[in-house]
Amino acid sequence: IPQAFHFRKETGIDGGLYYVFPASATECLQQPSSENNNKKKTTYVKVGVDFPTGESLQDMRDFDFKGSEEVQKLMDEWVVEHINGESKRIDSFCHPYTMTSDSYFIMDKLKSNVVIFAGGSGRAFKFGPLLGDCIASLLLNEEAPVDLTPFKATRD
């Protein structure tokens, strides 16, 4: 199953972080292609970017789910440069995610029975086990596995 993160120097609107994952658990397998009478197998992957692709929004009704044509062009060029074989975009969409001004998660105990986690910015899943341990330690009044000071809701 192909998976990769690629970091390169930021330039202009190119934030420099690209990723590729299987499109789904079943589509990552070689599937017969309907375009050539099932002779050739096709692998589907999801390619995306992990950098801001637009301005901050005050209202989600203003969000453009089509995404930036400039960013889509950057991803198409990245695919040609880094993925072997014939590749073409078959679909595209853009989705919003929450992001703090300093790009750090917010993870804090607000009251004796309230713990908050926010600002996952589309990357929290990569830290799932650690985040779970940290949140549990906050709830149970135990020492966290890492220093949570940078993630306080009241940080500057």
Side-chain angles (χ1 to χ4, degrees), residues 129-148:
L130 178 60
L131 293 173
D133 287 348
C134 291
I135 292 167
S137 69
L138 289 170
L139 288 167
L140 299 171
N141 294 316
E142 296 176 352
E143 185 175 342
V146 296
D147 179 15
L148 298 181

Side-chain angles (χ1 to χ4, degrees), residues 5 17 19 21 50 95-100 103-107 116-135 151:
F5 288 92
L17 175 54
Y19 63 85
F21 292 122
D50 191 5
H95 63 87
Y97 56 77
T98 59
M99 189 161 205
T100 60
S103 298
Y104 277 40
F105 307 136
I106 296 172
M107 188 170 15
I116 186 172
F117 176 82
S121 61
R123 57 198 166 110
F125 74 95
K126 294 177 256 185
F127 304 102
L130 178 60
L131 293 173
D133 287 348
C134 291
I135 292 167
F151 307 106

